[in-house]
Amino acid sequence: MLLDRYRAVRSFTAGLCKRLEAEDCVVQSMPDASPAKWHLGHTTWFFETFVLMRAAAGYEPLDTRYAFIFNSYYHAVGDRQPQARRGLLSRPTVAEVDAYRSHVDRHMQSFLEEAPAKPFREHAFVVEVGLHHEQQHQELILTDIKHAFAQNPLEPRYHTPPPVASAASARPGWLPFEGGLVDVGNASDDFAFDNERPRHRAHLEPFELARRLVTCGEFVEFIEDGGYRRPELWLSDGWEARERHGWEAPLYWRQADGRRSLLTLGGRLALDPGEPVCHVSYYEADAFARWAGARLPREEEWELAAVRQEVAGNFVESGRLHPSASVPARDGAAAQLYGDAWEWTASAYHPYPGYAPFPGALGEYNGKFMSGRMVLRGGSCASPATHLRPTYRNFFPPNARWQFSGVRLARNLL
Amino acid sequence: MLLDRYRAVRSFTAGLCKRLEAEDCVVQSMPDASPAKWHLGHTTWFFETFVLMRAAAGYEPLDTRYAFIFNSYYHAVGDRQPQARRGLLSRPTVAEVDAYRSHVDRHMQSFLEEAPAKPFREHAFVVEVGLHHEQQHQELILTDIKHAFAQNPLEPRYHTPPPVASAASARPGWLPFEGGLVDVGNASDDFAFDNERPRHRAHLEPFELARRLVTCGEFVEFIEDGGYRRPELWLSDGWEARERHGWEAPLYWRQADGRRSLLTLGGRLALDPGEPVCHVSYYEADAFARWAGARLPREEEWELAAVRQEVAGNFVESGRLHPSASVPARDGAAAQLYGDAWEWTASAYHPYPGYAPFPGALGEYNGKFMSGRMVLRGGSCASPATHLRPTYRNFFPPNARWQFSGVRLARNLL
Amino acid sequence: MLLDRYRAVRSFTAGLCKRLEAEDCVVQSMPDASPAKWHLGHTTWFFETFVLMRAAAGYEPLDTRYAFIFNSYYHAVGDRQPQARRGLLSRPTVAEVDAYRSHVDRHMQSFLEEAPAKPFREHAFVVEVGLHHEQQHQELILTDIKHAFAQNPLEPRYHTPPPVASAASARPGWLPFEGGLVDVGNASDDFAFDNERPRHRAHLEPFELARRLVTCGEFVEFIEDGGYRRPELWLSDGWEARERHGWEAPLYWRQADGRRSLLTLGGRLALDPGEPVCHVSYYEADAFARWAGARLPREEEWELAAVRQEVAGNFVESGRLHPSASVPARDGAAAQLYGDAWEWTASAYHPYPGYAPFPGALGEYNGKFMSGRMVLRGGSCASPATHLRPTYRNFFPPNARWQFSGVRLARNLL
Amino acid sequence: MLLDRYRAVRSFTAGLCKRLEAEDCVVQSMPDASPAKWHLGHTTWFFETFVLMRAAAGYEPLDTRYAFIFNSYYHAVGDRQPQARRGLLSRPTVAEVDAYRSHVDRHMQSFLEEAPAKPFREHAFVVEVGLHHEQQHQELILTDIKHAFAQNPLEPRYHTPPPVASAASARPGWLPFEGGLVDVGNASDDFAFDNERPRHRAHLEPFELARRLVTCGEFVEFIEDGGYRRPELWLSDGWEARERHGWEAPLYWRQADGRRSLLTLGGRLALDPGEPVCHVSYYEADAFARWAGARLPREEEWELAAVRQEVAGNFVESGRLHPSASVPARDGAAAQLYGDAWEWTASAYHPYPGYAPFPGALGEYNGKFMSGRMVLRGGSCASPATHLRPTYRNFFPPNARWQFSGVRLARNLL
């Protein structure tokens, strides 16, 4: 079963890159993004380093120098190509990286078929981590190539999106919660990242959560009300970021002849006021919320709503790769809670009380990033469905805009 | 009574600058620091702008251009000299700033003497804010001049410190707390900043707090155990900061011929292993805690201990201007909780549930800095005693080192 | 005949890129370098813009957006992709750029076959400029890919160099010149760049020129004599560059286990003491000369020697793509004057007296770079033989190291 | 006699700083500028280091640490405070620097009175260098404080300028020169810097030189003709500098309500169209010349005109500290050749043929700056009259604007 999942996840990654030209796979459009080729190699290196080199007797790496090239940030397993310089490496070529993937896949499949029960359990866990890791990079392949294509005056398209059936859109509105002393975090036996654990108590005041994501139309109102020119709406760091980067609208928005359009993975589209806004930073989300007389939800508040709903929505599997206008949710439920766009929360990404990192080098996976980042929840139109959980915590610096990051409002209830 | 306090605070500020040469008052040693002269003017501008211009009929500013020069970051009241360029202004001279202070003091005293009861209450509050504001700048005058002097190969001294009686030092040890559902934040009628309010509930797991601050001697052990060379001890952002700035010890530590010394406001001193370590960043505090098998306290944990103790310690009034070795505390109490060194907490500086900023332009005082900063608690040897409370929240970016910022450890109790 | 030359030059360029993978053609390793793909497109754009669009009736561009992408620095013909961001463009792909080349070649061939005699003369000149322009980019394709490959821990090879017959190497020594009032610059009817004209007079003191280029062995002596640690040998700007970039040897030199090697287009080679040193900046060349008790030649001095010798040497056509040890020159001649390595001169790149730029947009070709650059003479192992002349002036900023730039010494004769 | 000159130069420096407040003496407004206090100390350190420490038996420095603080760029005599950080040093105070000056002056006077004839000649030369060095810093004191004051919204005035008699202004026009083989450079026995020597031959084509400096009125025409928006007028490096710094007019020009004014050492003045333009970079001077259908003179051309005229003009001694409208010159002479504003030449600052630096550490004085700088000639309204000669070469980077640098045009004569 793990083998099946291994095959499924690995081939999904390969499929994502099928639509790219070899040239596309080389480009690194900013230090935060990586070339597609690097994602293909790095996810492979993960299995090689943390499974095959440790557990598969007699495994020989295809090229020992790949360990340097494809290590991302694991100090415990050696030196690495600096992140900002990944785009300088034309070699290994895409074909060579594909050969590397095949080499590792072949050995992983033997390993997974032959592994004896006992010592295997520990490695099975690492394989599980590796698969979730690869799913994270599936999303990054899409957001990184979107960013790269957006730098190109030719405006290349990644794909031709499937037609979307038009439907009645969810009305705005609020969903009330009593709060009080609640349990949050993950306590299940199933896979969860270390940062989702342990389950613990938190106290919440009564609050309400918006029934759907903030739309592009609402964001246009914010802009036209001077949202990007009124410092009183912004956090100080956000205002500085706005000035430094010259932000006047979400990333990928364009304006010409008085008409707004968006760059998407399917090419340039006219702005649809009913779609969720995305590609905003935490600072913009926060400023919008202040302008709207609301605030961003705390991550515990979001989780309280999410545990009551099933993990369903507009994920990468829909093939749309773009947020959709919300469909009315059933009573007591919030629309778009999963998928469409990651939702910035008001919570800094910090350890839960009693947090313990994964043992060994994998302890570097999540724990060392617990400063300077904000939590996002819920997944996006580029997230694999099987990757998400109500307790899942994503995290990015507050000025990051190249993820599918959107806004859900919250308010205090007196 | 407010008038008495006004006179006391204002003259204390002036006294702090008496020991400086005119030349010292001009220097800005880094963008985060300000010239002493600017502190003198800015605190005065605060009263002029928020009290006299609004409430004192017929008040005429001494020089209308000072509003530009001495505004710090209040967008609502106009443009300003960029923070990083305050050190370029040789004028107004120290004497001219003194004249400005006298001008405003004269009018403030009339205002405070003559103010009718009714509409005065609102202004009294602003005066109160202005006095606490000035006390914050008293501390900054000291930390900024310390930083400026440290750039100078002549190693100027700010003062000659009084002799310190040697005493038995507090033993390390831990103070246990049950946690549970607790109330934190300020609910009193007395003055408190908006960021300390409202009082609200938080849930804490059982924990223990170190009985005293981490000492220089303990920090030397960390260094000698490779603390600054082991990435596994550091947050990722902290490791980057360490590499970028070349940190190998706390700020102001020097090493020559195998002997460690410290630059202090009283000149260079041999390192005393029993003194609290200070001038460390959040990242260093966090790395030290990880190395020590502990963690930093959450701000609610710190407050739980602090409400039980009186606000007493080594403050600016002691005239020492340097942390002292801890004196044993009575049973059930923590030494050095107030004074000596600000204590980095594990808490991001975020709004409390239900937070509402001060009305008007004063709403920019605290609220807009609620991202990218960590909370520090307890005051330092440069803080005025009357400025502190158990609920007081100080905040700085995690890489700041020029404040008297130290470390108290905490641990989970199972 | 022009058509023959057109075909020859264009196909030579294409041939240079045949050895590259598609991925190699995308990478821009620093702002000064360009992707091979961009060189292929830009040289094509040159003919499209300056010939076909102006003179070929009814010519239609393949893609009008290429004008933006492939314009280098010609303000007169429109906006352009910023130079430092050429590596962000994965599209057009290599295949698409090839199609662009074919499209333009087809039209250029028709144009050259059919062009009527009269108005053609003017265009023939522009075609000539375009061919010399393309030859310059042939050299840049090689130096830029060499730089890109040097960033890669896999150390890719561009080619397998042909075997070199070992031969007696030229002895060092000096070639004396009387100087006096001499004529320099180009006065011929053949093609020359505007910056080589007009022919004019200069006065030279008696001098002597080294019989061959400075060798790697001699440069090792400089290094081992502390050349990179002695500020007294360096220009002030050079010393700053050395400190900022951490220079300790020429670019592409590596040292491991006490052995020196070089990265070349043919892979890593052990350092050969008899080869000319190259990939040094002007600053290093100047410091070496000072250390050697000599100086760099003025460009007029170099030209005086060069006009007496035929343009022959180790050029790109030899296929070696690396400087060779010098072969003894005949009496009265200097070895390696052409080919092997460009020779830094002591002359700033300034206009000759009476200089007039090419008319129209081509006036931007050379003239606007006449500040901040130093003149290099003689061509290199990556220069096409038909591209050079005794009066040819190459120019680069004094800190540039990625060209095949070497050192010939000169001295005053009393 | 040398003693008289020593006293005169030294007291003139002190006099220049009398008009400054202590606070003014601390500020460093950019890395290229230095605090007045530092100039006072550095010029003193020069005599201490190069004369007293070497030749005055038993001389004891006042404070050995001043050697670090006041060394500018002499590697041969030890380490130094980084140039960009001179403004961080509030100590030594102005009074302490005055004491340092007195200490050195006392010893220098004894030394000059008692020095025996024989070995003294060599030291006399160094004293001479030191006095010319101090005169250079007199000019820098003025240009640096002008720059510092210009950063201040209070617009402090350095002085109240004397009234200027209005006079008929020189008409524009051209002064022809035959050129040919000429001798330039300094061959006299009197003091000259090493960079003015040796006298040597140069060949010049026939040319003409403008009879006066370019005026502000003419520069306004350039601006209004789009001079700062037309890349075809600019060198490539100049256009980049213009974009990077946002240049739209010479430094210190202000525009409000459609009226142009200038910041001067005497405060803000309305722009006088008849005054020479100054505070332009080489790039602006070059662009203006191109716009005017002319060019900048080569330094040899300038010198040819200058040797025929006496060194007279609007120097620092006039007390005006601002360029004056030109007064008609006698036939065959050029107005404003000396004084008013330094004149950018088209010549890179390179060594003359046969150049030999001063021996010892003083060899670092001029020689190591012979790259990346352009030659300026003629002195300015801030230069001491006794400091100048027809052969005098000043030099600054092409983007420098804070000196009194102006423009004289030249043209080729057919």
Side-chain angles (χ1 to χ4, degrees), chain A residues 265-278:
Chain A
L265 284 164
R268 189 192 282 251
L269 297 181
L271 181 141
D272 174 349
E275 279 178 11
V277 68
C278 69

Side-chain angles (χ1 to χ4, degrees), chain D residues 15 29 46 54 156 172 178 181 191 194 210 214 264 285 355 376 395:
Chain D
S29 56
F46 193 98
R54 298 183 174 189
E178 273 187 20
L181 201 56
F191 178 82
D194 52 7
V214 169
T264 76
Y355 167 70
L376 301 103
F395 50 90

Side-chain angles (χ1 to χ4, degrees), chain C residues 379-397:
Chain C
S380 82
C381 57
S383 310
T386 58
H387 182 58
L388 297 171
R389 287 169 298 283
T391 58
Y392 191 96
R393 306 170 83 196
N394 198 358
F395 50 90
F396 277 94

